Amino acid sequence: MTNSMAHSRARRNPADGRAPVSRAAAAIGVIFLIVGVLGFIPGITTNFGDLYFAGHESTAKLFGVFQVSVLHNIVHVAFGVAGLALAATVSAARAFLVGGGAIYLVLWLYGLIVYHSTGAANFIPVNGADNWLHLGLGIGMIALGLATTRVAARR
């Protein structure tokens, strides 16, 4: 016998018929799409004239805080599209959240290593705010992917 409360996380919501992990992946996907598009809007992105395709030379900052480039914004849009597409099934949604979280933890480590470097490895503009955001996204996405697909242990 299993505890019905433990299974409630894996059950579909009667209101929309979607599993919590699918709703979470779709929500994260929408957020990434919005952030990616906002990165191309002058005013929301400060120093817009200094928005380069790639590289640490881009001094454009989303919301005046997060260093971005055209490539960075395109990746956000693509990541958002992937989140929406992978939200279609429970297993794909979980893979998006956990795998995407792992990718962001790798980006956090990358940012720590190349933060002040000017070499060829520094092709993604990142600053301290980006590093903290990547760490939070990595931990948050993995936690969300695991928490929304937790299954009750069999007795």
Side-chain angles (χ1 to χ4, degrees), residues 73-131:
N73 293 334
I74 290 170
V75 168
H76 286 148
V77 169
F79 206 72
V81 169
L84 289 173
L86 293 172
T89 67
V90 169
S91 60
R94 184 174 198 252
F96 168 74
L97 291 170
V98 174
I103 289 169
Y104 272 95
L105 289 178
V106 169
L107 282 172
W108 169 66
L109 290 172
Y110 165 84
L112 293 177
I113 294 168
V114 302
Y115 180 48
H116 294 291
S117 170
T118 58
N122 193 357
F123 64 96
I124 301 172
V126 290
N127 59 15
D130 288 306
N131 289 338

Side-chain angles (χ1 to χ4, degrees), residues 9-119:
R9 295 183 199 270
R11 276 195 257 175
R12 298 188 181 279
N13 182 333
D16 66 2
R18 297 180 72 188
V21 69
S22 293
R23 286 194 315 275
I28 297 294
V30 167
I31 291 168
F32 272 102
L33 268 173
I34 291 169
V35 166
V37 170
L38 290 177
F40 290 113
I41 299 176
I44 294 173
T45 299
T46 59
N47 300 328
F48 191 79
D50 295 326
L51 182 70
Y52 294 116
F53 180 77
H56 63 278
E57 298 89 8
S58 182
T59 58
K61 292 183 179 179
L62 182 62
F63 307 122
V65 177
F66 304 103
Q67 194 173 359
V68 294
S69 67
V70 172
L71 178 61
H72 205 146
N73 293 334
I74 290 170
V75 168
H76 286 148
V77 169
F79 206 72
V81 169
L84 289 173
L86 293 172
T89 67
V90 169
S91 60
R94 184 174 198 252
F96 168 74
L97 291 170
V98 174
I103 289 169
Y104 272 95
L105 289 178
V106 169
L107 282 172
W108 169 66
L109 290 172
Y110 165 84
L112 293 177
I113 294 168
V114 302
Y115 180 48
H116 294 291
S117 170
T118 58

